[in-house]
Each structure stands twice: as C-alpha cells, then as structure tokens.
Amino acid sequence: MLLAFVSISAATMAQDEAVPTEKYSVSTNSFWSNWFLQTNVTYSAFYDGTGNLFANPFYKFPLGTGVNDNKHNVQTGLGFSVALGKWFTPGIGLRTKGNFLWLGKAFNGDVDKYLTVNEHVLFNLSNMLCGYNEKRVWNFIPYIGAGFARNFDAKANTMDYSAGILNTFRLGKVVSLNLELGYNSYGSEWSGNGGVSPKHRLNQFDVELGLTWNLGKGTWEKTPDVEAIKALSQGQVDALNAQLSDAQSENARLKDLLAQQQKQVAQNTIAPVSTVTKYVAAPVSVFFNLGKDKIASQKDLQNVAALAEVAKENGAKLKVTGYADSKTGSAEYNQELSQKRAEAVADILADEYGVSRDNIEVVAAGGVDTLTPISYNRRAVVELVNKK
C-alpha cells in the first residue's frame, strides 16, 4: 500500500520531467510503466548478537543447523523471497519485499520460521553514473530500507533495518537474472526471550539468486535535445527574417531601377537592357545534438530541399559550412566534428536531392561561439553561391 501511494504521488509530480544522463535525456513514464516482479531463492546466516559476527557459517555445521558455543552463534537455512517494485527514473526506484525463511535448529535447539517485509529504496548506480542504456548487461543497484519482522515460533515481532546490493544481469527484454547480497538488523525482542541486552541486536546475512520480470513497459523513451529544438525554432525565425530583409532590399533596388528607367524614357536616353542573373535566398541551418553528426530533426531538411531545387534549376553552387560549439571538446575534436556535420549535409544534397558534387563546396569552421545560446552553434549552414 505504501509503495502504491508513493508511486502515484511521484508519477503525478514527475510526469513531464526529464532525467538527465550522460548519453541523452529520458522522459518520465506513466504510473503503469517500469514495474517489476522479483522471485528469489535465499540462503541466510543468522547471528545472535552475543556471538561472533564474523563467524564462518559453514564451520562445523551443515546447512540448516546452528551452533551456540560463544564463538559460533550462527543459524543457517533456506527460504524464498518475492518483491514488487517500480522505477521512477532510470536511477531511483522503490520495492516492497517479503522474505520467508525456515532456519533449522536455532540457538535453543528449535526450528524457527521467520517472515520479514521491507520497503527498499533502490539506487541504480550503473544508470546514474554511466547514463541510461536499456541494453546494459549488468546493473549495480545498492539499496537501503526498513520494515517489519515476525518470528512465528517465538510469537515475537520487531522492526528491522536492511541494506544490500542487487546485481541484475540482462537475459532479454523482459527477464533478468538476480544476484543479491543483503543484510538485516533486528531488535533483541525478536528472539522471544527477554534476557538479551537491547544493545545486542540480531544480524542476518543473505545471498539470493532469482529472476526479475519486467511488467508492461520496462524501458525509457529518449527525448530530443531541448536546446537543439530551441535552436531549430530560432533558426527558422532567423531564416524568415533574413528572407524578409533580402526581399525588402531587392524591392528597393527594383524601385530605384524603375525610377532610373522612367527618367531615361523622359530624356529619350534609354540604354540597352542587359540581364543580370542573381539568386536571393536565405541560408538554411541544419542543427545537431551535442557531440553528434546525425541531423537532430528531419524537418530541417525541408528548407534544404527547396534550396537544392533552386541550385539545380539555375546551375548555381551550394556552400555547406559545418560548425561545433567551442564550449565543449578540444579544438581538434570540434574541427573534425564540424567537418563531419558539413559532409553529412553534403551527402544528403548529393544522394537524396540530386545536386552534383562538383557544385557543392564543403567548409569546416570548427568550434565557434558566435551564436547565443551556445547550442545554436551545433549546426551546418547551406547557402547559394551566386554567379559573378
């Protein structure tokens, strides 16, 4: 119930948030996404607080027995566990876990049966430190938690605190192999006798092996580079403003030319008319995500296609200039990246839009900071080269 309540609250507050990672951002999924079920077989070593915490659980006694000799106060046994959980981000999750244990020959010679129910906070350090990767084979997941424990034979209850490391090994899209190392600390009242000092807590170490089953959607969706989207929008506005400015300049030129012709007509001194070919078109920007030479949005290519048609119809040349932002990466890296970005756009002009390679000039400008914000500089610019 606690897990479900927290899940609903967190999903409601974080529904539209993006979780930054080193590789890319991911969108927070819906409440019904990223749930998982775990089933494990458990081997436990249970230490009386008055004994040696570091005693070997395999020393002089087989599985399912206990020894009470002041040096080896250990009880061992098998059990199983079931857990239901949910990941709220690729790095943070919650699970509710129940452990059912049958430990043979307790310290007083009895066979004990135990149940613990814990709430755990999970930290997937593999995703948090290395970036989310849905195909990662090994995930390293420490956890901490607390809960309730029941000793059925002694009819005793206590609070317990737990911590451990969950390792998952991807077997497929739906299922992973678990190897878990856990620790539980119980109050002295759990033993069922009042003679143990409260300072002597009871300790349990577990090794668990089992499977994790993803319920429903178990992956996270990519989100595009937000700054690249802003750059795309601003680039389109800049292109429209540039086209308007060019059109106004051309309009003013034509008005001036018309005025001169009218004056020449009036003076009967009209000179022979000559035709000058000039192409007026605003440069087109194509944007890229950080460190990438793959075009961020295919919508950028709509204007590139139009510019390619103008170039082919008039036998004009195109110039493609690649840029990188100077705030990230070395100068050598940015020079190479800007070259790759320019080549990527040139390849599309030649392969998809039919512009002759002889009519495409490729320039690598390297890392620059001429535009603000800095992400606007992650681009390639296509422009017409006018005939002289």
Side-chain angles (χ1 to χ4, degrees):
M1 293 175 63
L2 175 62
L3 176 60
F5 174 77
V6 175
S7 299
I8 294 172
S9 301
T12 302
M13 292 186 294
Q15 185 64 39
D16 297 324
E17 294 180 359
V19 183
T21 69
E22 291 185 6
K23 289 184 177 295
Y24 45 75
S25 296
V26 297
S27 299
T28 301
N29 289 335
S30 70
F31 170 76
W32 301 111
S33 300
N34 304 105
W35 286 81
F36 61 88
L37 176 69
Q38 295 176 326
T39 55
N40 301 296
V41 175
T42 304
Y43 170 79
S44 295
F46 189 84
Y47 290 77
D48 188 341
T50 60
N52 180 6
L53 183 61
F54 300 100
N56 182 357
F58 301 103
Y59 178 73
K60 289 187 178 179
F61 47 87
L63 177 67
T65 64
V67 172
N68 187 358
D69 62 359
N70 293 326
K71 180 180 180 181
H72 299 98
N73 228 5
V74 186
Q75 184 182 6
T76 62
L78 289 175
F80 67 92
S81 66
V82 177
L84 177 65
K86 173 177 171 60
W87 291 103
F88 297 101
T89 75
I92 303 294
L94 287 177
R95 73 173 180 182
T96 302
K97 181 181 180 183
N99 278 71
F100 306 87
L101 302 173
W102 284 263
L103 303 183
K105 291 187 179 180
F107 310 117
N108 56 10
D110 295 334
V111 176
D112 289 337
K113 295 182 287 295
Y114 304 127
L115 166 65
T116 61
V117 179
N118 285 283
E119 192 70 21
H120 292 148
V121 183
L122 309 174
F123 305 92
N124 189 325
L125 293 187
S126 298
N127 285 337
M128 295 173 74
L129 300 180
C130 302
Y132 169 66
N133 181 355
E134 66 180 76
K135 295 184 179 180
R136 179 178 287 116
V137 175
W138 173 44
N139 284 281
F140 182 77
I141 309 171
Y143 64 84
I144 58 173
F148 163 84
R150 170 71 175 175
N151 184 333
F152 289 101
D153 297 278
K155 296 181 175 58
N157 303 319
T158 187
M159 289 289 294
D160 77 297
Y161 305 97
S162 57
I165 297 173
L166 169 64
N167 298 275
T168 64
F169 301 90
R170 185 177 186 270
L171 300 179
K173 186 175 181 180
V174 176
V175 63
S176 298
L177 179 69
N178 302 331
L179 177 59
E180 184 170 339
L181 307 176
Y183 167 75
N184 285 67
S185 176
Y186 305 97
S188 58
E189 66 272 17
W190 197 38
S191 63
N193 64 67
V196 180
S197 171
K199 70 179 181 179
H200 292 146
R201 297 189 63 84
L202 307 177
N203 304 286
Q204 176 186 332
F205 295 91
D206 298 323
V207 177
E208 302 187 45
L209 184 65
L211 297 173
T212 293
W213 307 88
N214 294 325
L215 305 179
K217 183 178 180 180
T219 57
W220 302 84
E221 296 292 341
K222 284 185 181 183
T223 57
D225 189 320
V226 175
E227 290 187 344
I229 294 177
K230 293 179 180 178
L232 172 62
S233 301
Q234 186 61 44
Q236 291 173 337
V237 172
D238 292 343
L240 290 174
N241 287 333
Q243 289 174 348
L244 178 61
S245 177
D246 290 339
Q248 290 173 340
S249 298
E250 181 67 7
N251 187 43
R253 186 185 70 82
L254 293 175
K255 284 183 178 180
D256 183 63
L257 180 61
L258 180 60
Q260 292 180 12
Q261 289 180 340
Q262 290 175 343
K263 183 177 179 180
Q264 290 173 347
V265 168
Q267 298 176 352
N268 295 320
T269 59
I270 297 178
V273 177
S274 61
T275 301
V276 178
T277 302
K278 184 176 179 64
Y279 314 105
V280 179
V284 174
S285 292
V286 179
F287 293 94
F288 298 81
N289 287 327
L290 177 63
K292 304 295 184 182
D293 57 18
K294 182 178 180 181
I295 296 172
S297 174
Q298 295 298 310
K299 292 182 179 180
D300 287 6
L301 298 178
Q302 295 176 0
N303 293 329
V304 172
L307 206 58
E309 287 300 317
V310 173
K312 289 190 296 182
E313 290 173 359
N314 296 278
K317 292 189 176 183
L318 292 172
K319 179 180 178 182
V320 184
T321 306
Y323 300 90
D325 75 81
S326 60
K327 299 297 184 182
T328 56
S330 64
E332 295 78 8
Y333 175 81
N334 286 331
Q335 184 68 31
E336 181 181 355
L337 182 59
S338 65
Q339 179 73 31
K340 290 181 179 179
R341 287 173 173 172
E343 293 287 354
V345 176
D347 288 342
I348 292 175
L349 286 169
D351 299 340
E352 297 187 22
Y353 301 142
V355 179
S356 171
R357 271 287 184 177
D358 295 335
N359 289 332
I360 302 175
E361 178 186 0
V362 175
V363 178
V368 299
D369 59 357
T370 54
L371 299 180
T372 301
I374 195 65
S375 61
Y376 287 13
N377 297 289
R378 303 167 193 157
R379 61 176 182 154
V381 176
V382 185
E383 56 187 326
L384 280 169
V385 179
N386 288 293
K387 288 182 178 180
K388 295 183 179 180

